[in-house]
Amino acid sequence: DRQINEPSSSRCFCCCEKYCGKCIVTKTWKEVWKNDSRLLRVIVVLVIVLNIPYGNYILYPFVLFSTWIHESCHALAAWSVGGHVAWLNVYKDGSGL
């Protein structure tokens, strides 16, 4: 077995208080920020933009694109099990069908 080196602040919730390699490891906020700082920054920016006047207009093209991707994945799932897709609609409010 190779030894896994975890930060000393990581804790495991099982029969022991140290990292044993068998359990779910919880991380401190500092470790989460270090590993996921870009994602967390983007989330903060999105929350800010959505709460300023006209912020929805800035993000509108991204809403339409993400809806189109979402609905296209439904179509791919239907095709993968032998179904048929007659149409795909993306509406002005960001919903799709």
Side-chain angles (χ1 to χ4, degrees), residues 10-65:
S10 293
R11 245 184 102 200
C12 154
F13 292 106
C14 70
C15 58
C16 60
E17 286 293 319
K18 61 182 182 203
Y19 184 73
C20 66
K22 301 177 196 170
C23 305
I24 297 172
V25 176
T26 59
K27 295 183 177 182
T28 63
W29 280 108
K30 192 175 186 179
E31 291 170 327
V32 170
W33 181 259
K34 180 182 171 191
N35 293 334
D36 301 325
S37 62
R38 276 190 283 168
L39 175 64
L40 295 172
R41 285 183 188 136
V42 168
I43 291 171
V44 168
V45 168
L46 284 174
V47 168
I48 291 170
V49 169
L50 286 171
N51 287 299
I52 60 172
Y54 304 107
N56 291 335
Y57 295 111
I58 295 168
L59 296 177
Y60 183 68
F62 300 104
V63 169
L64 292 180
F65 180 69

